Amino acid sequence: YKHYDVIVFLFIGDDMSKILIIEDEKPIQNIIRAFLEDAGYRAVSADDGAEGIVRFRECRPDLVLLDILLPKINGFAVCEMIRRESSTPVIMLTALDDDFSQMKGFDALADDYITKPFSMPLVVRRIEAVLRRMEKGGAGEEDTQLRYRDIVMDPDNYDVSVSGENVSLTAREFEILRLLMENQGRVFSRESLLDSIWGYDYFGDEKIVNTHIKNIRRKLGGDYIETVRGVGYRIEKENP
């Protein structure tokens, strides 16, 4: 994997949450570990499924990042073993991007499923969302949903609906829409969207932003995102 987007110091782990990384490819493991530690988390790692179970029982982490194609014990089995003795959240990080593998991951009671190659800023956002859900416990907490006209976004569960109908967005499409909805009325240039969503070390063509905006508009089925000619994009601020 040649490229992983990294933004350092933008995300801070609350109270030094401990994260166990179960990943057999050392370069990927080291990238994840270094980024999480820079972001304020404590990171523990394991190189295969069997070691992952041992480290899980030793360190009792707050969250597990789990590869699927592991030596000794695969990630599906590891997740099932963790679930038999703990409700600790598990996020699968894997190259298996087919629907069957994703359904199998959720059948094993994984809390989230992220496919490689991935953007580390988005991985940290997903970690934060899962940890928030664990802290809330689903009872009597403040509503964190974002709303604009007939769009409802649930950042904690990565859900979007329009007029009550679910809309399927990719991770980056979701983050673009989330950024615009959280900052209604503010214009974001293509460069600032690249910096916020793809990471400061992205060197690709800015036209990728246009493509993602086009896809978001098509999926939402309405004219929600305004193009500010020569500047960028925004969602117009609703009247209070």
Side-chain angles (χ1 to χ4, degrees), residues 132-143:
R132 279 199 304 271
R133 290 202 301 269
M134 291 297 294
E135 290 172 359
K136 289 178 180 179
E141 295 292 335
E142 182 181 352
D143 183 9

Side-chain angles (χ1 to χ4, degrees), residues 3-7 11 31 35 93 114-126 171-172 175 194-201:
H3 174 70
Y4 292 89
D5 299 318
V6 173
I7 299 178
F11 308 102
I31 289 171
F35 187 85
L93 293 177
I114 303 173
T115 58
K116 301 174 183 177
F118 47 77
S119 162
M120 279 307 303
L122 293 187
V123 171
V124 173
R125 284 286 186 93
R126 304 284 273 269
R172 284 200 172 98
E175 291 300 334
L194 282 173
D195 288 346
S196 298
I197 307 301
W198 277 262
Y200 288 104
D201 58 350

Side-chain angles (χ1 to χ4, degrees), residues 56-113:
F56 175 80
R57 290 168 176 164
E58 289 176 346
C59 71
R60 291 297 172 183
D62 298 289
L63 183 141
V64 178
L65 293 178
L66 176 62
D67 190 15
I68 292 176
L69 301 176
L70 293 168
K72 299 184 180 179
I73 304 175
N74 70 44
F76 295 126
V78 171
C79 189
E80 290 172 353
M81 293 173 73
I82 289 173
R83 277 292 161 268
R84 284 199 290 268
E85 57 189 77
S86 170
S87 61
T88 299
V90 175
I91 298 178
M92 289 186 162
L93 293 177
T94 175
L96 299 179
D97 60 359
D98 59 284
D99 290 347
F100 175 78
S101 296
Q102 294 189 48
M103 288 188 291
K104 189 172 180 180
F106 287 117
D107 286 344
L109 301 183
D111 294 87
D112 206 344
Y113 192 106

Side-chain angles (χ1 to χ4, degrees), residues 119 122 125-126 146 151 153 158-160 167-181 193 197-198 208-220 225 235:
S119 162
L122 293 187
R125 284 286 186 93
R126 304 284 273 269
L146 301 174
I151 302 174
M153 171 180 282
Y158 269 69
D159 290 332
V160 177
V167 176
S168 178
L169 300 179
T170 68
R172 284 200 172 98
E173 289 166 359
F174 185 95
E175 291 300 334
I176 290 171
L177 182 60
R178 171 177 175 162
L179 189 64
L180 294 173
M181 290 182 66
L193 287 171
I197 307 301
W198 277 262
I208 193 173
V209 175
N210 301 352
T211 300
H212 279 69
I213 293 291
K214 180 180 178 180
N215 289 338
I216 295 169
R217 285 170 168 163
R218 175 178 55 81
K219 292 178 179 181
L220 295 179
I225 301 175
I235 281 181

